[in-house]
Amino acid sequence: CGLVLLITSWLRRNKNAADWAMAMGALFALLGVLGLAAVMTGLISIENEDEAVLVIGGMSTVGVVIFTMGFAVDRVKYYQREMADDYRERVLPPQ
């Protein structure tokens, strides 16, 4: 899911701050999950398991938070634009 979100965020032509936040959040979450998978399969050996959980869990959590903030900003801007369009249709005379 993180890979799909990352690809779709990068494919948008006109990126704004919300798109960059969603792309970076998806990247951090993806890297956290890949790190977790690497530790679980034994590809990466970390001496202190608490450290591994903190780093990998922290990266994933930060990624999810950043992505969510970008998504929320994107949706707020969308609804503001829709409300402005509705207001123009109701208040302004037809041209």
Side-chain angles (χ1 to χ4, degrees):
C1 185
L3 184 60
V4 172
L5 290 172
L6 182 63
I7 290 170
T8 56
S9 295
W10 282 110
L11 290 179
R12 276 186 95 167
R13 287 187 181 163
N14 299 327
K15 293 179 188 66
N16 53 26
D19 295 325
W20 285 108
M22 288 189 286
M24 299 316 312
L27 178 65
F28 285 158
L30 179 64
L31 290 176
V33 169
L34 290 176
L36 178 65
V39 167
M40 290 178 71
T41 58
L43 293 174
I44 299 173
S45 62
I46 297 178
E47 295 173 12
N48 190 353
E49 291 179 10
D50 294 334
E51 234 176 69
V53 169
L54 182 66
V55 170
I56 293 169
M59 185 179 290
S60 297
T61 303
V62 166
V64 169
V65 168
I66 291 172
F67 180 85
T68 303
M69 289 184 340
F71 184 76
V73 167
D74 187 53
R75 292 293 93 191
V76 166
K77 285 183 359 184
Y78 172 76
Y79 288 123
Q80 285 178 345
R81 187 173 41 232
E82 288 293 318
M83 288 179 63
D85 290 343
D86 289 344
Y87 175 76
R88 279 190 221 108
E89 288 176 6
R90 284 183 284 135
V91 172
L92 297 177
Q95 296 180 7

